[in-house]
Amino acid sequence: EGLLSRKEELDVGATKVTELIESLDKQKDDAINRTFRGVSAHFKDVFQELCPDGSGELIMKTSADEEEETSTGDKSEVSMFRGVQIQVKFTKNGDNFIMSQLSGGQKALVAMALIFAIQRCDPAPFYLFDELDQALDSTHRAAVAALIQRQASSEENPTQFITSTFRPELVSVAGRCYGISHQNKVSNIHMLTKKDAMSFIANLMNEEEAVME
């Protein structure tokens, strides 16, 4: 009788644990879908800002994409999610591409679009970028600089951006410019005027062009 009573208690406890797990799984499922919808919507907008003639979208990959669902499959299970695929095109009438088909500069642009999309869903107080424009051409560098400037001066969610760069587009919209010197194994930071910063970058680009020639 004691064992039977204990078994009943354990059965009740197991039922409650199962119900809790199902409830948590549903909450995770709802959170994933809610977050994905938000980031996906912002990604479309941000990519359009960075590439006006193109378009981009996020696609949720599920277990149904990998194998046919069985009759007992539960679409609400968190385990159904397999990841997110990105599809973009850079011209109005161009083909859609996935990340593995893109060049280094295109991948960098898509990655930045995703970062900014997440930022709009869950804003952070500041971002630190190290040569984020290094792989971009001048047109896309200008688009990224304009986007950063708009985000930094946003009335709803103003954000500070700290970036290192060797190109003029980001410098032209920067609020403050600093140069880094390295002498005797010691690095020093110097505040620069925008004119001096642009002059430094122009000289650097001229040197690069001379080397390439």
Side-chain angles (χ1 to χ4, degrees):
E1 289 178 358
L3 291 174
L4 290 174
S5 176
R6 178 58 177 160
K7 179 181 180 302
E8 290 178 0
E9 293 178 2
L10 293 175
D11 288 342
V12 171
T15 300
K16 291 182 177 179
V17 170
T18 301
E19 292 174 352
L20 176 61
I21 291 174
E22 292 175 352
S23 175
L24 292 175
D25 281 347
K26 187 178 186 306
Q27 290 180 43
K28 290 179 181 178
D29 188 43
D30 292 341
I32 289 173
N33 281 312
R34 183 174 60 254
T35 303
F36 175 77
R37 287 194 299 269
V39 174
S40 180
H42 286 304
F43 180 80
K44 289 182 179 180
D45 295 338
V46 173
F47 192 83
Q48 192 80 45
E49 292 179 42
L50 295 178
C51 189
D53 293 331
S55 61
E57 64 175 334
L58 302 181
I59 301 172
M60 179 67 77
K61 305 295 290 184
T62 66
S63 56
D65 298 316
E66 298 180 357
E67 57 184 19
E68 294 183 1
E69 289 187 78
T70 62
S71 59
T72 59
D74 185 355
K75 293 185 178 181
S76 67
E77 291 182 356
V78 175
S79 59
M80 71 176 288
F81 297 112
R82 292 293 183 264
V84 175
Q85 184 181 74
I86 298 177
Q87 284 190 353
V88 295
K89 60 181 180 180
F90 292 87
T91 58
K92 292 181 179 179
N93 299 320
D95 296 327
N96 283 319
F97 296 99
I98 59 176
M99 287 295 285
S100 61
Q101 298 171 317
L102 301 180
S103 66
Q106 291 172 330
K107 287 180 179 179
L109 191 70
V110 173
M112 277 183 276
L114 182 58
I115 290 173
F116 287 123
I118 295 172
Q119 191 271 339
R120 292 185 181 184
C121 283
D122 186 19
F126 77 92
Y127 288 85
L128 177 63
F129 289 120
D130 181 22
E131 294 188 60
L132 80 165
D133 56 351
Q134 191 271 336
L136 304 180
D137 58 28
S138 59
T139 301
H140 289 138
R141 288 200 302 266
V144 170
L147 179 61
I148 288 178
Q149 187 179 38
R150 287 194 298 272
Q151 198 66 36
S153 57
S154 169
E155 294 183 359
E156 296 181 358
N157 294 303
T159 303
Q160 183 180 34
F161 291 87
I162 303 171
T163 68
S164 64
T165 183
F166 291 101
R167 294 293 181 264
E169 288 79 9
L170 281 176
V171 175
S172 66
V173 300
R176 292 191 178 184
C177 300
Y178 298 89
I180 307 297
S181 63
H182 186 77
Q183 293 180 334
N184 300 323
K185 299 182 180 180
V186 177
S187 295
N188 295 288
I189 185 169
H190 313 277
M191 189 168 181
L192 300 176
T193 64
K194 186 167 293 188
K195 181 179 179 181
D196 289 340
M198 293 294 283
S199 177
F200 170 80
I201 287 178
N203 291 335
L204 184 66
M205 293 180 69
N206 289 335
E207 291 177 3
E208 290 180 354
E209 291 178 0
V211 170
M212 291 177 65
E213 290 177 358

